[in-house]
Amino acid sequence: MTLQGVSNAFLVISFALYTLSFFGFVIAVTGSKWSNRDPEMHKKKWGRLAFGVTLAGWLAHVIFFITRWVYAGHIPISNMFEFMTFLGMMIILAFIVLYLIYGSPVTGVFAVPAGVVILGYASVFPWDVQPLVPSLNSHWLKIHVSLAAGGEAFFALGFAAGLMYLLRTVDFQSKEKAARRERKGVE
């Protein structure tokens, strides 16, 4: 198997592990309702398991990135496929940082799918390595694009946290006019 094949295989593995971890986070958050176990213990156990799977997926994603860098000969952020895969990796890294700080599996229900969707979107672009056009053969490409992707990753998590907040605070049962207006805002 070529280095490119190994690299692409690790990207597919990371996608599968991220998807699996999303379901683990969903079970951590909602599973205690249909389980007869202690809700906090259930949440911790499944949250840790899902976080471990997320870490394994992220490590596979890093291996994809490094192997692609080796066979491409330049940092793999120069075309849309490479940028989107890098953005997905940064979103998951931002989630890992937030999970280590707060330890909330609810964040994984919203953040991990953002990384999965970005990777799914990246897959519609050509996976082939393309040589750098002369205008991109600069140190500024590495600096600008990597920092932009890091910033966008934390904005994506801010979006996920804002969505979580709205879903938690908006009253979906009330028939009052103010509650209906809030529901329209969420929709």
Side-chain angles (χ1 to χ4, degrees):
M1 184 178 255
T2 65
L3 192 56
Q4 183 175 1
V6 170
S7 178
N8 292 344
F10 274 106
L11 183 63
V12 172
I13 289 168
S14 69
F15 181 83
L17 289 173
Y18 292 155
T19 304
L20 189 64
S21 73
F22 164 68
F23 289 116
F25 284 120
V26 169
I27 291 171
V29 172
T30 64
S32 62
K33 293 179 179 145
W34 45 266
S35 173
N36 293 333
R37 299 188 179 146
D38 177 29
E40 279 307 307
M41 184 58 95
H42 183 84
K43 185 183 273 190
K44 280 185 179 181
K45 180 180 121 182
W46 279 97
R48 286 183 187 150
L49 179 67
F51 181 69
V53 174
T54 304
L55 275 177
W58 188 76
L59 289 174
H61 204 151
V62 168
I63 292 171
F64 155 77
F65 187 75
I66 291 170
T67 54
R68 186 161 178 108
W69 194 339
V70 167
Y71 80 80
H74 58 82
I75 187 168
I77 53 176
S78 62
N79 60 32
M80 210 48 188
F81 169 74
E82 293 171 345
F83 175 77
M84 296 305 279
T85 56
F86 183 69
L87 178 60
M89 185 172 73
M90 295 303 288
I91 288 172
I92 298 298
L93 177 63
F95 162 70
I96 289 170
V97 168
L98 282 176
Y99 188 86
L100 289 173
I101 292 170
Y102 298 109
S104 174
V106 176
T107 312
V109 173
F110 289 89
V112 172
V116 170
V117 167
I118 292 295
L119 285 182
Y121 180 62
S123 69
V124 304
F125 296 105
W127 290 38
D128 301 331
V129 173
Q130 300 160 353
L132 282 177
V133 291
S135 62
L136 292 179
N137 200 4
S138 165
H139 294 294
W140 289 110
L141 170 75
K142 299 172 189 95
I143 295 167
H144 170 75
V145 176
S146 59
L147 289 176
E152 288 174 12
F154 278 97
F155 280 130
L157 284 191
F159 163 75
L163 185 61
M164 283 182 350
Y165 176 78
L166 284 174
L167 291 175
R168 189 174 196 138
T169 59
V170 171
D171 184 10
F172 289 96
Q173 305 300 324
S174 177
K175 302 291 182 188
E176 295 179 20
K177 186 175 184 177
R180 285 195 313 259
R181 191 172 357 160
E182 284 181 348
R183 284 193 300 268
K184 284 182 184 176
V186 172
E187 293 170 359

